[in-house]
């Protein structure tokens, strides 16, 4: 790990923006499916873009919910790109046809990520609780590629796919995705409800990352990306991140449809409102963010040699499972039977 890592940046690098929590899917792992709140008007969302441009926050990623359910998505995106922001989006792909792909290209999206969680249609459709969703997601990748839009693919690693992640890489390659995000299972919302059926054991997470890191080192045509801080405790991990531990509240923030800011989409703790509160004060002085940026070792993290690198792992997962931001990530294999087998 580099000695040049920071506690946090002077402003977020990325704002993960949920324009809406509405969705046409009922995914078994979704953090927001049971969350409902007021949605801001187009005018208010344009005001938010002005704030982001003023604060020089370079990247915006629209999630949700399904972003394409907002009729003003392309208007807001065009306004943001005209203000110099680099805009991306994550979609389930259901609503992307030839016309929509052309609109996405014209709006100026830098990239669009499509969520696909199995290389087999039955596995993906079952995970997403939507028959036909696999075929439409794959078609969305093809249509976006043909429209000249840079595409990525996102897969949530769970029991349905962790032994077949190489097939996910091949699927992404076949359909022209430039990058594959292998997301860790977060245990928030419906993910918490279905954790026993879908989440891996710490030993399985360790084995998955050990294999995936080897494959990453051998894969040159597609970028493989992980977003799990617990991976930093593995000796095979050679990345030099800007910050250690969870990046939430250090490199990024999450914006809810009502304008409330949270550390990330998986941490339902409101820091303030972007339209009503001083953004700099929220970013620099929030007690919640201060605690996340200065985590103290708790439980099995105390005395662990890996804590300096992973800082306890995923803060969102620790909060969801234990109720404490500073507790050890339940995915962590350090000090477990799995660790003893190394």
């Amino acid at each position: 790990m580099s000695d040049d890592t920071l506690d946090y940046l002077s402003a977020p690098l990325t704002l993960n923006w949920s324009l809406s929590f509405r969705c046409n899917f009922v995914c078994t792992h979704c953090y927001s499916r049971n969350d409902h709140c007021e949605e801001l008007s187009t005018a208010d969302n344009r005001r938010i873009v002005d704030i982001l441009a003023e604060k020089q926050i370079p990247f915006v990623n629209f999630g949700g919910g399904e972003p394409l359910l907002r009729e003003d998505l392309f208007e807001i995106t065009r306004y943001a790109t005209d203000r110099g922001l680099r805009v991306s989006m994550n979609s389930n792909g259901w609503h992307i046809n030839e016309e929509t792909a052309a609109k996405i290209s014209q709006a100026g999206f830098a990239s669009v990520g499509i969520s696909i969680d199995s290389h087999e249609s039955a596995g993906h459709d079952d995970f997403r609780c939507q028959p036909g969703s696999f075929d439409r997601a794959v078609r969305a990748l093809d249509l976006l590629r043909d429209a000249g839009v840079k595409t990525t693919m996102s897969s949530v690693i769970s029991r349905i796919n962790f032994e077949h992640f190489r097939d996910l890489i091949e699927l992404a390659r076949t359909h022209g995705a430039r990058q594959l995000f292998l997301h860790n299972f977060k245990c928030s919302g419906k993910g918490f409800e279905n954790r026993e059926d879908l989440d891996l054991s710490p030993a399985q997470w360790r084995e998955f990352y050990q294999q995936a890191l080897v494959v990453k080192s051998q894969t040159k045509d597609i970028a493989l990306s992980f977003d799990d801080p617990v991976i930093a405790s593995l000796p095979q991990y050679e990345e030099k991140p800007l910050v250690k531990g969870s990046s939430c509240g250090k490199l990024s923030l999450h914006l809810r449809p009502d304008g409330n800011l949270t550390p990330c989409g998986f941490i339902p703790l409101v820091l303030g409102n972007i339209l009503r509160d001083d953004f700099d004060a929220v970013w620099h002085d929030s007690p919640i963010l201060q605690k996340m940026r200065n985590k103290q070792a708790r439980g099995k993290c105390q005395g662990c040699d890996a804590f300096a690198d992973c800082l306890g792992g995923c803060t969102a997962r620790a909060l969801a499972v234990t109720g404490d931001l500073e507790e050890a990530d339940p995915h962590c294999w350090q000090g477990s039977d799995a660790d003893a087998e190394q």
Side-chain angles (χ1 to χ4, degrees):
M1 301 294 291
S2 170
D3 293 332
D4 298 328
T5 52
L6 307 170
D7 291 331
Y8 72 106
L9 299 184
S10 57
L13 191 65
T14 301
L15 188 83
N16 293 303
W17 189 346
S18 296
L19 287 169
S20 173
F21 285 147
R22 290 177 287 134
C23 190
N24 55 312
F25 285 14
V26 190
C27 301
T28 53
H29 68 297
C30 183
Y31 78 95
S32 65
R33 193 62 181 87
N34 298 326
D35 202 345
H36 307 280
C37 70
E38 177 186 357
E39 294 181 19
L40 296 175
S41 66
T42 302
D44 280 339
N45 284 325
R46 287 167 70 102
R47 288 174 56 204
I48 290 172
V49 169
D50 291 336
I51 292 170
L52 302 182
E54 177 189 347
K55 300 302 177 184
Q56 298 183 321
I57 298 170
F59 301 106
V60 170
N61 183 69
F62 289 127
E66 170 53 47
L68 286 166
L69 292 180
R70 281 283 303 213
E71 294 182 356
D72 57 359
L73 172 65
F74 301 120
E75 177 183 345
I76 296 169
T77 299
R78 184 76 268 169
Y79 185 70
T81 57
D82 287 346
R83 292 298 314 267
L85 302 180
R86 187 174 175 86
V87 182
S88 58
M89 169 176 63
N90 285 97
S91 171
N92 58 40
W94 185 271
H95 294 288
I96 297 178
N97 53 28
E98 290 90 343
E99 180 183 359
T100 306
K103 289 181 178 179
I104 288 171
S105 177
Q106 293 161 7
F109 279 95
S111 67
V112 173
I114 301 297
S115 296
I116 302 179
D117 300 294
S118 174
H119 68 291
E120 298 177 326
S121 59
H124 174 85
D125 290 359
D126 183 61
F127 189 70
R128 295 275 166 177
C129 302
Q130 184 70 285
S133 58
F134 176 85
D135 290 340
R136 292 178 78 149
V138 168
R139 183 168 182 261
L141 282 175
D142 292 341
L143 291 172
L144 290 167
R145 177 198 59 203
D146 294 345
V149 179
K150 177 185 175 182
T151 58
T152 65
M153 193 173 108
S154 293
S155 304
V156 176
I157 297 301
S158 70
R159 290 187 186 180
I160 76 163
N161 60 16
F162 78 104
E163 294 178 313
H164 304 285
F165 73 93
R166 293 173 181 83
D167 295 310
L168 289 168
I169 297 172
E170 186 56 36
L171 182 68
R173 177 181 289 118
T174 299
H175 294 280
R178 308 274 191 88
Q179 188 170 14
L180 173 61
F181 291 91
L182 298 172
H183 295 293
N184 59 94
F185 191 87
K186 289 295 196 303
C187 308
S188 298
K190 291 184 70 66
F192 185 83
E193 295 174 13
N194 297 305
R195 181 186 173 210
E196 294 300 318
D197 295 327
L198 293 173
D199 202 3
L200 309 184
S201 69
Q204 288 172 320
W205 279 113
R206 188 196 67 173
E207 182 179 358
F208 164 72
Y209 281 129
Q210 287 175 329
Q211 293 183 28
L213 285 171
V214 171
V215 174
K216 175 181 172 67
S217 69
Q218 298 170 345
T219 303
K220 305 304 180 184
D221 59 329
I222 295 178
L224 301 184
S225 298
F226 312 99
D227 58 356
D228 195 344
V230 76
I231 197 175
S233 65
L234 287 173
Q236 301 97 320
Y237 184 70
E238 298 178 348
E239 300 287 333
K240 296 181 179 180
L242 288 173
V243 297
K244 294 183 180 181
S246 291
S247 61
C248 304
K250 302 173 186 177
L251 299 181
S252 61
L253 286 179
H254 174 246
L255 182 62
R256 290 168 53 88
D258 58 3
N260 282 339
L261 292 160
T262 66
C264 80
F266 305 99
I267 299 179
L269 301 177
V270 175
L271 310 172
N273 188 282
I274 194 168
L275 293 176
R276 297 194 297 268
D277 299 313
D278 180 78
F279 187 89
D280 290 335
V282 171
W283 178 247
H284 293 292
D285 302 328
S286 163
I288 295 171
L289 295 184
Q290 292 288 342
K291 187 172 184 178
M292 290 177 61
R293 294 164 181 165
N294 299 280
K295 289 176 68 173
Q296 303 299 308
R298 298 276 184 88
K300 70 176 185 178
C301 291
Q302 294 178 312
C304 177
D305 293 339
F307 182 77
D309 288 330
C310 75
L311 296 183
C314 177
T315 303
R317 199 157 44 232
L319 178 66
V321 175
T322 72
D324 189 336
L325 290 166
E326 293 187 313
E327 272 293 339
D329 184 342
H331 281 184
C332 178
W333 49 81
Q334 297 291 340
S336 66
D337 292 339
D339 185 52
E341 294 168 3
Q342 286 186 338

